Amino acid sequence: MTRRSPAGFQEVDPGPGWEALPLPALVLDAQGRVAAMNDAAEVWLNLSRNSTLGRALDGDEMITRLRIQPPLCPLIARVINSDEALYQPNVRFEIGDRAGGHQDRRALVHAGPAGPIGGAVTLLLVPLDEGSMQSQNRAVRSAARSAIGMAEMLAHEIKNPLAGIRGAAQLIGMNASPEDREMAEMIVSESKRIVSLLEQVERFGDTSAPNLRPINVHDVLEKVRRSAAVGFAQKIGIVAEYDPSLPDALADADQLTQVCLNLVKNAAQALTETDHPAIRLRSFYDHALRLPPDEADPAGRPLPLQIEIEDNGPGLPPAIADQVFEPFVSGRENGTGLGLALVSKIITDHGALIRVDSRPGRTVFRISLPKA
């Protein structure tokens, strides 16, 4: 069954069961135009059926709303020429206007002939977001457990004798020659620096639950933005893109402020050699996002409130991109590698998620929180 749309092409009705498919699915006609799409595709691609039908998925008319890498044209051509089902792994869908805020999603794309519809191709998208969330969530939980163990050991074994070393150096410096006094002052200074580092490590040993209550995430983001603008990010453009309709989140305001401030500081430090440095603070609602299912919650806990902290710096070093939430992993020469590990612990304690997507010119940390 077909009907002619106002655009002058034939829209396709794929038949019973099409709308019930749990995965995003589309049918492209022989010219590569979208001839059908199910409800799941509308939601996942954030595209309305009326504005998409009759347009090429990779065409210029869609470029402001959807960009696909790598392009699907070669895959579709191979399906048409071979009349066989093929697939393309790890396809990135950049959804939304780049200037007005967008999000990246990845999927495994299955393509095959659309049955009796001559020259048409069916696309089935298998989202990879959940697998990515599961992998990063496992890494976050592992980092938190490792960090807590490190804190208990290091704080006990190092901090106490270090106080004795610092006290001895201060006594020596009181009666030493100018040259020796300089050395003693250096020992005291370095000892203080190590104590400061250990105090940061000790925070991992705090197993008390966060003080969860309804909070406005924009209050947190504005506090962080103002602090950064008058301090460490004075020369960096900070853009705020908030969804004013966002409901309250269930979170600890102080801890969430610490997390966001840490991420913004990291972004600022990554932009020291970037022309026109910029940081974007963004909030939005994603009703489809949930924690990966487990025995306690087979459906997966909804995490619809999203915070993104984005910078236009060089991106994470590829060698550590998959390990940034592990303790003592740092991309900076003098970095301790504890900041993001602490961030991961706090977010894990919230029953929430944190993920990172990084490439040269764009690094985005996304925090997904439950609704109050």
Side-chain angles (χ1 to χ4, degrees):
M1 172 183 172
T2 61
R3 67 180 177 86
R4 188 168 296 276
S5 74
F9 86 110
Q10 286 188 323
E11 180 184 346
V12 172
D13 181 359
W18 172 255
E19 291 299 342
L21 284 172
L23 296 175
L26 306 98
V27 174
L28 308 184
D29 66 12
Q31 285 73 47
R33 299 173 298 187
V34 178
M37 62 189 301
N38 66 356
D39 290 344
E42 282 193 279
V43 172
W44 196 79
L45 293 171
N46 196 27
L47 296 172
S48 71
R49 185 182 280 106
N50 290 338
S51 66
T52 305
L53 291 175
R55 291 180 167 82
L57 205 60
D58 285 346
D60 293 338
E61 291 178 313
M62 298 287 290
I63 197 71
T64 58
R65 294 180 293 156
L66 178 67
R67 293 156 297 281
I68 304 173
Q69 290 294 333
L72 297 177
C73 295
L75 175 68
I76 294 167
R78 287 168 57 201
V79 170
I80 294 174
N81 293 333
S82 66
D83 202 34
E84 295 179 354
L86 302 170
Y87 76 94
Q88 177 78 42
N90 200 24
V91 178
R92 180 164 60 87
F93 294 79
E94 190 176 302
I95 300 166
D97 186 358
R98 282 174 173 163
H102 63 278
Q103 54 186 303
D104 284 354
R105 291 180 172 174
R106 296 180 183 270
L108 173 67
V109 178
H110 289 270
I117 308 169
V121 174
T122 298
L123 298 181
L124 187 65
L125 313 182
V126 182
L128 299 177
D129 302 69
E130 183 173 319
S132 174
M133 284 192 293
Q134 288 174 330
S135 176
Q136 289 204 16
N137 193 43
R138 284 194 296 267
V140 165
R141 293 181 183 276
S142 174
R145 287 193 296 267
S146 299
I148 290 172
M150 287 284 187
E152 293 173 347
M153 180 186 70
L154 289 175
H156 179 73
E157 297 294 337
I158 299 177
K159 197 172 180 181
N160 289 337
L162 192 62
I165 294 172
R166 184 173 60 180
Q170 289 173 329
L171 289 174
I172 292 172
M174 292 173 61
N175 300 311
S177 64
E179 290 184 0
D180 291 340
R181 187 179 301 116
E182 183 179 352
M183 295 294 293
E185 289 174 354
M186 185 187 71
I187 294 172
V188 172
S189 175
E190 289 300 295
S191 297
K192 288 181 178 179
R193 186 177 69 86
I194 296 173
V195 168
S196 176
L197 174 62
L198 288 175
E199 287 173 350
Q200 189 178 17
V201 174
E202 278 186 316
R203 296 175 194 168
F204 293 118
D206 182 6
T207 57
S208 59
N211 180 21
L212 301 178
R213 64 184 189 277
I215 67 166
N216 186 330
V217 298
H218 300 142
D219 292 341
V220 170
L221 291 174
E222 275 302 287
K223 182 178 179 180
V224 170
R225 185 189 65 80
R226 289 193 296 267
S227 176
V230 300
F232 56 84
Q234 291 183 24
K235 298 181 180 180
I236 297 174
I238 303 179
V239 179
E241 295 181 358
Y242 303 151
D243 179 355
S245 66
L246 219 60
D248 284 349
L250 187 64
D252 184 315
D254 291 339
Q255 291 190 5
L256 188 60
T257 300
Q258 182 182 358
V259 164
C260 293
L261 193 60
N262 191 301
L263 294 176
V264 172
K265 280 183 178 179
N266 283 357
Q269 290 168 346
L271 294 171
T272 53
E273 298 182 5
T274 300
D275 294 332
H276 310 295
I279 296 174
R280 188 188 305 271
L281 306 180
R282 182 174 174 235
S283 69
F284 61 98
Y285 195 91
D286 187 346
H287 65 86
L289 196 61
R290 292 175 175 268
L291 271 177
D294 56 25
E295 293 181 1
D297 192 346
R301 184 188 191 189
L303 300 174
L305 306 184
Q306 314 300 315
I307 294 173
E308 286 189 345
I309 297 175
E310 175 184 343
D311 69 71
N312 62 341
L316 294 171
I320 67 165
D322 296 331
Q323 303 170 327
V324 291
F325 295 114
E326 296 288 342
F328 308 111
V329 174
S330 176
R332 299 196 305 273
E333 183 177 351
N334 296 317
T336 63
L338 292 174
L340 288 179
L342 179 59
V343 162
S344 76
K345 177 185 182 297
I346 292 173
I347 295 300
T348 300
D349 290 346
H350 274 68
L353 279 177
I354 183 167
R355 291 172 289 159
V356 60
D357 181 23
S358 181
R359 59 180 183 269
R362 182 172 183 262
T363 295
V364 182
F365 283 88
R366 182 197 283 196
I367 301 168
S368 303
L369 296 167
K371 185 169 61 173

